[in-house]
Amino acid sequence: MSKEIYSVIKQRILSGEYASGEIIKEKNLAEELDVSRTPIRENLARLEWEKLVTIIPRAGAMVAPIELNLVKEAYQVRFVLDGYLGRLAIARITREQIQELEALKAQCEGYVNEGTQEDLNNISNKVRAVLGKAANNKTLFELSEMLFNITLRVWYSITEDDEHSELANALISEIDALIKACKDKDANAAEKAMQDAVVYYTEKLKKTF
């Protein structure tokens, strides 16, 4: 149940359902999820470590504001960590996991002309999960995920409807490059595919701001 609580709170923060600066009311959330306040507090403490909330004594947990400098720094570190994640995944990835990536690519292709930002983010999360499992390095994956979530929030807040197809096609290209690298057992290509994706979003962020 703790994992479900964490997922609910995190998704509400990432999607903007809980707005920046909003106080998360432990009592209301505990009643909604039918749990005590203890697991709520435990998961909020975890989310504070992930820089998604700020615990304020006697007030509760405030949703952390989206800080552009923090997002830029997260992308800089992701360039290294995500690239290494790709390299490690190549050594262990299975045929079944490659097929999972192919299925996710096909699903993403269905979102080019429809779907939402959340649909694309879900695909991206699942791709990362496949790579994380293949890489078999829990610490690396958790750090990469923390940084991914920091950068993810900004796209919920600034993405325009007319950019959806562009972002969908960019994700398709990323997955396609990863699939090819996996089939070729090319660690350099997998690293480049992950880093190219970070560069794409970094440059897009610069153009936006």
Side-chain angles (χ1 to χ4, degrees):
M1 183 63 187
S2 181
K3 186 176 181 180
E4 294 175 7
I5 294 169
Y6 167 78
S7 296
V8 167
I9 301 173
K10 182 180 76 171
Q11 183 56 30
R12 290 180 181 180
I13 293 171
L14 296 180
S15 67
E17 183 176 346
Y18 286 159
S20 295
E22 181 177 345
I23 298 295
I24 299 175
K25 298 178 181 178
E26 293 179 9
K27 181 175 182 295
N28 293 350
L29 191 56
E31 290 176 353
E32 176 191 345
L33 301 179
D34 194 26
V35 296
S36 70
R37 295 175 71 168
T38 298
I40 301 292
R41 290 195 187 107
E42 291 173 348
N43 282 285
L44 287 173
R46 176 181 175 183
L47 290 163
E48 182 177 42
W49 180 80
E50 296 178 4
K51 300 186 183 298
L52 295 179
V53 304
T54 300
I55 304 297
I56 302 176
R58 296 182 295 280
M62 181 185 76
V63 178
I66 298 175
E67 298 179 18
L68 191 56
N69 284 338
L70 177 61
V71 172
K72 290 178 178 178
E73 290 173 356
Y75 270 125
Q76 289 173 349
V77 182
R78 274 189 61 193
F79 183 83
V80 178
L81 293 189
D82 285 9
Y84 190 49
L85 181 67
R87 293 192 70 88
L88 287 185
I90 289 298
R92 296 173 176 268
I93 199 157
T94 64
R95 180 180 300 178
E96 291 73 21
Q97 288 169 330
I98 293 174
Q99 289 173 342
E100 287 182 59
L101 293 177
E102 289 174 332
L104 289 168
K105 177 189 169 187
Q107 188 176 353
C108 193
E109 288 171 342
Y111 291 142
V112 172
N113 296 314
E114 57 184 34
T116 64
Q117 182 63 35
E118 186 170 357
D119 291 325
L120 299 183
N121 292 339
N122 286 337
I123 293 289
S124 190
N125 274 319
K126 290 176 182 177
V127 168
R128 294 175 61 81
V130 172
L131 296 177
K133 187 174 182 179
N136 195 33
N137 186 316
K138 183 179 178 182
T139 301
L140 172 64
F141 184 65
E142 287 182 349
L143 289 172
S144 177
E145 279 293 277
M146 181 188 77
L147 296 169
F148 176 76
N149 288 331
I150 289 172
T151 58
L152 185 65
R153 289 181 69 196
V154 73
W155 298 108
Y156 273 107
S157 63
I158 66 174
T159 302
E160 301 291 340
D161 290 340
D162 59 359
E163 294 180 306
H164 178 80
S165 293
E166 177 194 335
L167 292 173
N169 282 314
L171 182 54
I172 291 167
S173 295
E174 176 188 347
I175 301 171
D176 191 51
L178 285 169
I179 292 171
K180 186 177 186 306
C182 290
K183 289 181 176 179
D184 294 342
K185 292 294 182 181
D186 188 337
N188 290 332
E191 179 180 46
K192 185 176 185 300
M194 297 293 283
Q195 291 179 336
D196 283 349
V198 172
V199 170
Y200 167 79
Y201 286 106
T202 301
E203 291 302 314
K204 190 168 182 60
L205 195 65
K206 289 178 181 177
K207 293 176 182 177
T208 304
F209 291 95

